[in-house]
Amino acid sequence: RAKLHPSRKVCFYEPSMDAEIRQKREIANALSHAMEHDQLELHYQLQASVQSGKVCGMEALLRWTHPTMGPVSPAVFIPIAEEYNLIIALGEWVLNRACRDAASWKDGQKVAVNLSPLQLMQVELPRIIHQNLIETGLAPHRLEVELTETAILSDRDRSLHILRQIKALGVCVALDDFGTGYSSLEILRAFPFDKIKLDRFFMTEIETSNASKAMVRSVLSLGKNLKIPVLAEGVETELQLDFLREEGCDEIQGFLLGRPEKLAEAIRNSVNTLAIQEPEDCEDDDKV
Ligand code: C2E
Ligand code: MG
Ligand code: MG
Ligand code: MG
């Protein structure tokens, strides 16, 4: 594709750009057939309460296995789906499957579903969510939708309006990847979030950086003061968990508790508990 320089009227042509666009178009094309060809699957990652050590929810994470390309990461195909107008259909598939899966769990754990910013621009979204709840019989409070700040920043009034309608259904709303990107504290005041998910970037840093520790403490106290529970993403080590526990973090999610896995495995592992630190004689062998 040629790029026109406005002032000098010279065409710049880069072959690599062409290849990239062609590849993206190929992926988009393959993705548009993924649903009907049964190539999509939801994996679930456990979330646990720090205080009780018990699993309290699972996040649904989309997986795509192409017959020749193999597994494609959502970090690759979600942006393409957004660019090529596939995200609405994909998002509806995820919502429906996640609600159906969650309705089949005997115990009342929550299921968290990621929403694309483009889904939040859709006025029909609350109705679609409502319909899914009715169809699957899932109690509204067992569904949590996850949004990032970018979802809100593109059109504040519209997204606030849609978000309020979703909340009115009894569905929970979590702010995903908090603390990176264009985080504005004002968003926490203006929008009715039920949970803050602290970006996993901070976990990779807290073992080595005092500044990161200080930031995590600040977010946790912010959550306390606003009465919004905070979940730490990307918890991989006992050391990180110990720190979070001491600082009063509400929930965790991460490889320490479990990787995203198939539904049956996630259900099997949901009876596991985090090792609870007891004052004395702490037995460590029941941890996950
Ligand atoms: P996210 O919503 O922030 O999801 C968390 C990501 O962190 C997941 O990557 C998960 O596998 C990974 N993760 C969890 N614990 C750990 C850990 O302890 N260490 C490390 N290194 N990573 C951890 P995944 O599954 O590749 O998904 C990437 C992103 O793709 C998600 O970030 C989300 O933004 C998007 N995504 C995934 N599924 C969907 C979906 O159904 N719809 C939409 N719109 N986006 C989705
Ligand atoms: Mg998420
Ligand atoms: Mg996240
Ligand atoms: Mg993310």
Side-chain angles (χ1 to χ4, degrees):
R1 184 162 292 183
K3 215 183 184 178
L4 196 63
H5 194 286
S7 60
R8 283 183 288 164
K9 302 245 190 289
V10 176
C11 286
F12 293 102
Y13 177 78
E14 271 182 65
S16 67
M17 252 162 55
D18 237 18
E20 209 186 294
I21 289 170
R22 206 174 317 118
Q23 200 197 6
K24 277 208 284 190
R25 204 178 288 143
E26 258 164 47
I27 291 177
N29 197 32
L31 189 55
S32 69
H33 299 294
M35 274 178 275
E36 70 228 51
H37 289 123
D38 222 24
Q39 295 165 5
L40 297 177
E41 200 181 9
L42 289 183
H43 280 192
Y44 290 92
Q45 188 178 31
L46 304 178
Q47 305 172 325
S49 147
V50 173
Q51 230 194 352
S52 73
K54 287 190 180 134
V55 168
C56 51
M58 308 188 191
E59 179 176 3
L61 293 158
L62 188 54
R63 296 292 179 261
W64 176 30
T65 310
H66 185 268
T68 55
M69 289 188 282
V72 187
S73 161
V76 170
F77 71 78
I78 295 286
I80 294 176
E82 286 169 341
E83 192 178 332
Y84 287 81
N85 282 324
L86 299 166
I87 195 66
I88 299 295
L90 211 56
E92 282 180 27
W93 184 91
V94 171
L95 257 172
N96 187 259
R97 182 59 62 94
C99 290
R100 210 166 72 197
D101 284 349
S104 73
W105 305 336
K106 280 189 295 297
D107 34 1
Q109 286 155 359
K110 259 187 200 158
V111 65
V113 174
N114 292 285
L115 293 184
S116 158
L118 296 174
Q119 285 177 280
L120 198 66
M121 287 292 102
Q122 239 200 328
V123 282
E124 307 92 76
L125 182 65
R127 187 188 51 77
I128 289 165
I129 292 176
H130 184 57
Q131 202 170 335
N132 266 304
L133 292 170
I134 289 172
E135 227 176 83
T136 60
L138 184 70
H141 69 271
R142 291 188 53 207
L143 176 64
E144 182 167 82
V145 293
E146 295 191 2
L147 307 165
T148 57
E149 291 135 323
T150 30
I152 288 152
L153 292 176
S154 54
D155 188 336
R156 273 183 73 107
D157 293 345
R158 187 163 169 169
S159 49
L160 183 57
H161 179 68
I162 293 172
L163 210 61
R164 284 202 177 119
Q165 286 180 289
I166 294 173
K167 289 263 306 182
L169 296 171
V171 171
C172 307
V173 182
L175 180 56
D176 203 359
D177 302 344
F178 182 76
T180 57
Y182 299 96
S183 307
S184 136
L185 294 181
E186 202 269 326
I187 271 180
L188 289 173
R189 184 195 59 78
F191 284 76
F193 289 110
D194 300 291
K195 189 185 284 182
I196 296 169
K197 296 190 77 179
L198 183 64
D199 195 272
R200 70 181 167 83
F201 165 79
F202 293 99
M203 287 307 113
T204 63
E205 295 269 308
I206 54 169
E207 280 173 19
T208 52
S209 152
N210 282 329
S212 291
K213 273 191 190 140
M215 283 180 234
V216 172
R217 275 191 200 103
S218 304
V219 174
L220 292 175
S221 86
L222 184 65
K224 285 265 163 342
N225 289 323
L226 294 172
K227 300 191 171 60
I228 307 173
V230 178
L231 177 148
E233 301 190 85
V235 179
E236 296 184 355
T237 69
E238 291 286 348
L239 225 67
Q240 292 165 342
L241 175 59
D242 290 344
F243 172 78
L244 293 166
R245 183 182 281 127
E246 267 162 43
E247 300 300 332
C249 181
D250 301 280
E251 293 175 19
I252 65 149
Q253 182 181 343
F255 294 169
L256 180 68
L257 187 63
R259 295 196 173 238
E261 54 201 345
K262 286 178 190 289
L263 175 67
E265 248 148 288
I267 291 176
R268 235 190 331 271
N269 290 332
S270 67
V271 297
N272 293 346
T273 51
L274 287 172
I276 303 286
Q277 227 118 61
E278 274 158 43
E280 53 195 326
D281 265 33
C282 170
E283 291 248 56
D284 237 1
D285 53 10
D286 61 349
K287 69 181 167 220
V288 193

Short mmCIF file of all heavy atoms in Angstrom, two decimals, residues 171-201:
data_model
loop_
_atom_site.label_atom_id
_atom_site.label_comp_id
_atom_site.label_asym_id
_atom_site.label_seq_id
_atom_site.Cartn_x
_atom_site.Cartn_y
_atom_site.Cartn_z
N VAL A 171 -25.11 -7.55 37.23
CA VAL A 171 -23.81 -8.08 36.79
C VAL A 171 -22.70 -7.21 37.40
O VAL A 171 -22.86 -6.01 37.56
CB VAL A 171 -23.73 -8.06 35.25
CG1 VAL A 171 -22.33 -8.38 34.74
CG2 VAL A 171 -24.76 -9.03 34.66
N CYS A 172 -21.57 -7.84 37.77
CA CYS A 172 -20.44 -7.10 38.35
C CYS A 172 -19.52 -6.58 37.25
O CYS A 172 -19.41 -7.18 36.19
CB CYS A 172 -19.63 -7.99 39.28
SG CYS A 172 -20.64 -8.77 40.54
N VAL A 173 -18.86 -5.48 37.56
CA VAL A 173 -17.96 -4.87 36.58
C VAL A 173 -16.58 -4.67 37.20
O VAL A 173 -16.45 -4.05 38.26
CB VAL A 173 -18.50 -3.51 36.08
CG1 VAL A 173 -17.58 -2.92 35.04
CG2 VAL A 173 -19.91 -3.67 35.52
N ALA A 174 -15.55 -5.20 36.55
CA ALA A 174 -14.18 -5.07 37.05
C ALA A 174 -13.35 -4.20 36.10
O ALA A 174 -13.52 -4.25 34.89
CB ALA A 174 -13.54 -6.44 37.19
N LEU A 175 -12.44 -3.41 36.69
CA LEU A 175 -11.51 -2.62 35.89
C LEU A 175 -10.22 -3.43 35.72
O LEU A 175 -9.52 -3.70 36.69
CB LEU A 175 -11.23 -1.28 36.60
CG LEU A 175 -10.27 -0.32 35.91
CD1 LEU A 175 -10.71 0.01 34.50
CD2 LEU A 175 -10.12 0.96 36.73
N ASP A 176 -9.94 -3.85 34.50
CA ASP A 176 -8.82 -4.74 34.19
C ASP A 176 -7.53 -3.95 33.96
O ASP A 176 -7.58 -2.80 33.56
CB ASP A 176 -9.17 -5.54 32.92
CG ASP A 176 -8.39 -6.85 32.83
OD1 ASP A 176 -7.58 -7.15 33.73
OD2 ASP A 176 -8.61 -7.59 31.85
N ASP A 177 -6.41 -4.59 34.25
CA ASP A 177 -5.08 -4.04 33.95
C ASP A 177 -4.86 -2.66 34.56
O ASP A 177 -4.23 -1.79 33.94
CB ASP A 177 -4.85 -3.96 32.42
CG ASP A 177 -4.98 -5.31 31.75
OD1 ASP A 177 -4.94 -6.33 32.47
OD2 ASP A 177 -5.14 -5.36 30.52
N PHE A 178 -5.34 -2.45 35.76
CA PHE A 178 -5.23 -1.13 36.38
C PHE A 178 -3.77 -0.79 36.72
O PHE A 178 -3.01 -1.64 37.17
CB PHE A 178 -6.07 -1.05 37.66
CG PHE A 178 -6.03 0.30 38.31
CD1 PHE A 178 -6.75 1.36 37.78
CD2 PHE A 178 -5.26 0.53 39.44
CE1 PHE A 178 -6.71 2.62 38.36
CE2 PHE A 178 -5.21 1.78 40.03
CZ PHE A 178 -5.94 2.83 39.48
N GLY A 179 -3.42 0.45 36.50
CA GLY A 179 -2.11 0.93 36.92
C GLY A 179 -1.14 1.13 35.79
O GLY A 179 -0.08 1.72 35.96
N THR A 180 -1.47 0.62 34.60
CA THR A 180 -0.64 0.88 33.43
C THR A 180 -1.52 1.63 32.45
O THR A 180 -2.66 1.93 32.74
CB THR A 180 -0.12 -0.42 32.80
OG1 THR A 180 -1.25 -1.22 32.47
CG2 THR A 180 0.77 -1.19 33.75
N GLY A 181 -1.03 1.91 31.30
CA GLY A 181 -1.87 2.62 30.33
C GLY A 181 -2.16 4.02 30.80
O GLY A 181 -1.34 4.65 31.45
N TYR A 182 -3.36 4.49 30.50
CA TYR A 182 -3.69 5.87 30.84
C TYR A 182 -4.54 5.94 32.09
O TYR A 182 -5.56 6.59 32.12
CB TYR A 182 -4.42 6.54 29.68
CG TYR A 182 -3.61 6.60 28.43
CD1 TYR A 182 -3.74 5.63 27.44
CD2 TYR A 182 -2.67 7.61 28.25
CE1 TYR A 182 -2.98 5.68 26.30
CE2 TYR A 182 -1.91 7.67 27.11
CZ TYR A 182 -2.06 6.70 26.13
OH TYR A 182 -1.30 6.75 25.00
N SER A 183 -4.14 5.20 33.12
CA SER A 183 -4.92 5.18 34.34
C SER A 183 -5.19 6.58 34.85
O SER A 183 -4.27 7.36 35.05
CB SER A 183 -4.18 4.43 35.44
OG SER A 183 -3.81 3.18 34.97
N SER A 184 -6.44 6.84 35.08
CA SER A 184 -6.76 8.08 35.75
C SER A 184 -7.57 7.71 36.98
O SER A 184 -8.48 6.90 36.93
CB SER A 184 -7.57 8.98 34.81
OG SER A 184 -8.64 9.56 35.50
N LEU A 185 -7.19 8.30 38.10
CA LEU A 185 -7.90 7.97 39.34
C LEU A 185 -9.34 8.41 39.27
O LEU A 185 -10.22 7.84 39.91
CB LEU A 185 -7.21 8.66 40.53
CG LEU A 185 -5.81 8.18 40.83
CD1 LEU A 185 -5.25 8.91 42.03
CD2 LEU A 185 -5.79 6.68 41.09
N GLU A 186 -9.59 9.40 38.46
CA GLU A 186 -10.92 9.97 38.34
C GLU A 186 -11.92 8.93 37.83
O GLU A 186 -13.10 8.96 38.19
CB GLU A 186 -10.85 11.19 37.42
CG GLU A 186 -11.96 12.17 37.59
CD GLU A 186 -13.11 11.86 36.66
OE1 GLU A 186 -12.84 11.39 35.54
OE2 GLU A 186 -14.25 12.09 37.07
N ILE A 187 -11.42 8.01 37.02
CA ILE A 187 -12.27 6.95 36.48
C ILE A 187 -12.91 6.14 37.61
O ILE A 187 -14.07 5.74 37.53
CB ILE A 187 -11.44 6.04 35.54
CG1 ILE A 187 -11.50 6.60 34.13
CG2 ILE A 187 -11.93 4.60 35.56
CD1 ILE A 187 -10.72 5.80 33.13
N LEU A 188 -12.14 5.94 38.69
CA LEU A 188 -12.65 5.15 39.81
C LEU A 188 -13.78 5.87 40.55
O LEU A 188 -14.61 5.25 41.20
CB LEU A 188 -11.53 4.84 40.80
CG LEU A 188 -10.50 3.84 40.30
CD1 LEU A 188 -9.35 3.74 41.29
CD2 LEU A 188 -11.13 2.48 40.09
N ARG A 189 -13.77 7.18 40.45
CA ARG A 189 -14.85 7.94 41.07
C ARG A 189 -16.10 7.96 40.18
O ARG A 189 -17.22 7.76 40.63
CB ARG A 189 -14.40 9.38 41.34
CG ARG A 189 -15.43 10.22 42.08
CD ARG A 189 -15.12 11.69 41.99
NE ARG A 189 -15.08 12.17 40.62
CZ ARG A 189 -16.16 12.44 39.87
NH1 ARG A 189 -17.35 12.29 40.38
NH2 ARG A 189 -16.04 12.84 38.62
N ALA A 190 -15.87 8.16 38.91
CA ALA A 190 -17.00 8.37 38.00
C ALA A 190 -17.69 7.08 37.59
O ALA A 190 -18.86 7.10 37.22
CB ALA A 190 -16.51 9.13 36.76
N PHE A 191 -16.96 5.96 37.63
CA PHE A 191 -17.54 4.71 37.15
C PHE A 191 -17.75 3.72 38.29
O PHE A 191 -16.91 3.61 39.17
CB PHE A 191 -16.64 4.08 36.08
CG PHE A 191 -16.75 4.78 34.76
CD1 PHE A 191 -16.13 6.00 34.55
CD2 PHE A 191 -17.47 4.22 33.72
CE1 PHE A 191 -16.24 6.66 33.34
CE2 PHE A 191 -17.58 4.87 32.51
CZ PHE A 191 -16.96 6.09 32.31
N PRO A 192 -18.88 3.02 38.26
CA PRO A 192 -19.24 2.15 39.39
C PRO A 192 -18.56 0.78 39.34
O PRO A 192 -19.23 -0.24 39.17
CB PRO A 192 -20.76 2.02 39.23
CG PRO A 192 -21.00 2.14 37.75
CD PRO A 192 -19.93 3.03 37.21
N PHE A 193 -17.26 0.73 39.53
CA PHE A 193 -16.58 -0.57 39.47
C PHE A 193 -16.75 -1.37 40.76
O PHE A 193 -16.77 -0.81 41.85
CB PHE A 193 -15.08 -0.38 39.20
CG PHE A 193 -14.80 0.07 37.80
CD1 PHE A 193 -14.35 1.35 37.55
CD2 PHE A 193 -15.02 -0.79 36.73
CE1 PHE A 193 -14.11 1.78 36.26
CE2 PHE A 193 -14.78 -0.37 35.43
CZ PHE A 193 -14.33 0.92 35.20
N ASP A 194 -16.88 -2.68 40.60
CA ASP A 194 -17.00 -3.57 41.75
C ASP A 194 -15.67 -4.17 42.14
O ASP A 194 -15.53 -4.80 43.18
CB ASP A 194 -17.96 -4.73 41.42
CG ASP A 194 -19.34 -4.23 41.06
OD1 ASP A 194 -20.02 -3.73 41.96
OD2 ASP A 194 -19.72 -4.31 39.87
N LYS A 195 -14.67 -4.04 41.25
CA LYS A 195 -13.37 -4.65 41.52
C LYS A 195 -12.30 -3.95 40.71
O LYS A 195 -12.56 -3.48 39.61
CB LYS A 195 -13.41 -6.14 41.13
CG LYS A 195 -12.19 -6.93 41.56
CD LYS A 195 -12.23 -8.35 41.06
CE LYS A 195 -13.18 -9.21 41.87
NZ LYS A 195 -13.16 -10.61 41.39
N ILE A 196 -11.10 -3.86 41.30
CA ILE A 196 -9.94 -3.34 40.58
C ILE A 196 -8.98 -4.50 40.37
O ILE A 196 -8.62 -5.19 41.33
CB ILE A 196 -9.22 -2.23 41.40
CG1 ILE A 196 -10.14 -1.02 41.59
CG2 ILE A 196 -7.92 -1.83 40.72
CD1 ILE A 196 -9.60 -0.01 42.60
N LYS A 197 -8.58 -4.73 39.12
CA LYS A 197 -7.58 -5.76 38.85
C LYS A 197 -6.24 -5.07 38.58
O LYS A 197 -6.07 -4.39 37.57
CB LYS A 197 -7.99 -6.62 37.65
CG LYS A 197 -9.26 -7.42 37.92
CD LYS A 197 -9.51 -8.45 36.82
CE LYS A 197 -8.61 -9.65 36.99
NZ LYS A 197 -8.86 -10.68 35.94
N LEU A 198 -5.33 -5.24 39.52
CA LEU A 198 -4.02 -4.60 39.42
C LEU A 198 -3.19 -5.32 38.36
O LEU A 198 -3.01 -6.54 38.41
CB LEU A 198 -3.34 -4.69 40.79
CG LEU A 198 -1.98 -4.05 40.96
CD1 LEU A 198 -2.05 -2.54 40.79
CD2 LEU A 198 -1.41 -4.39 42.33
N ASP A 199 -2.69 -4.58 37.40
CA ASP A 199 -1.94 -5.16 36.29
C ASP A 199 -0.76 -6.00 36.77
O ASP A 199 -0.09 -5.65 37.74
CB ASP A 199 -1.44 -4.07 35.36
CG ASP A 199 -0.99 -4.62 34.02
OD1 ASP A 199 0.20 -5.02 33.90
OD2 ASP A 199 -1.83 -4.70 33.11
N ARG A 200 -0.49 -7.09 36.05
CA ARG A 200 0.55 -8.00 36.52
C ARG A 200 1.96 -7.42 36.39
O ARG A 200 2.91 -7.96 36.95
CB ARG A 200 0.45 -9.35 35.83
CG ARG A 200 0.82 -9.40 34.39
CD ARG A 200 0.64 -10.84 33.88
NE ARG A 200 0.68 -10.90 32.44
CZ ARG A 200 1.81 -10.94 31.74
NH1 ARG A 200 2.98 -10.95 32.35
NH2 ARG A 200 1.77 -11.00 30.43
N PHE A 201 2.09 -6.33 35.69
CA PHE A 201 3.37 -5.63 35.62
C PHE A 201 3.94 -5.38 37.02
O PHE A 201 5.14 -5.56 37.25
CB PHE A 201 3.17 -4.28 34.89
CG PHE A 201 4.32 -3.33 35.06
CD1 PHE A 201 5.47 -3.47 34.31
CD2 PHE A 201 4.25 -2.30 35.99
CE1 PHE A 201 6.53 -2.60 34.47
CE2 PHE A 201 5.30 -1.42 36.16
CZ PHE A 201 6.45 -1.57 35.40
#
